[in-house]
Amino acid sequence: AWGNLYIAESGSHSVRIVRRSDRRIFTLAGGLGAGYSPAGDAAGTRLANPNSLCISGNNLMILDGANSRLIRVPLSGICGING
């Protein structure tokens, strides 16, 4: 996870990751249009205006602004992104 770039894209209601190893961009959470879904698998989570990100320990914290919630995504669970 160190060296990767995480991007909160409010307009596309998604959080993206740019992998340091190969500079490829992947959607980590959201991207399915604005909405709300219970926290679970990050890829299937619907977001509405994610506007802040923070790394806390081995977790990525996402502030899902329009849904007034904080989502925790374990970074250890996203090491095997394929694309």
Side-chain angles (χ1 to χ4, degrees):
W2 289 104
N4 293 330
L5 176 65
Y6 300 90
I7 304 166
E9 290 189 1
S10 296
S12 66
H13 309 288
S14 64
V15 174
R16 306 211 192 266
I17 178 174
V18 180
R19 274 196 315 210
R20 177 181 181 206
S21 60
D22 58 7
R23 297 188 176 109
R24 293 180 66 185
I25 301 171
F26 300 92
T27 299
L28 175 62
L32 305 170
Y36 176 88
S37 61
D41 177 38
T45 299
R46 293 191 69 172
L47 305 171
N49 193 28
N51 52 33
S52 297
L53 303 173
C54 176
I55 293 180
S56 176
N58 198 33
N59 298 297
L60 176 67
M61 308 301 288
I62 303 169
L63 179 60
D64 188 14
N67 287 322
S68 300
R69 66 178 177 164
L70 188 63
I71 299 172
R72 179 180 60 88
V73 178
L75 293 176
S76 60
I78 61 170
C79 293
I81 293 176
N82 295 317

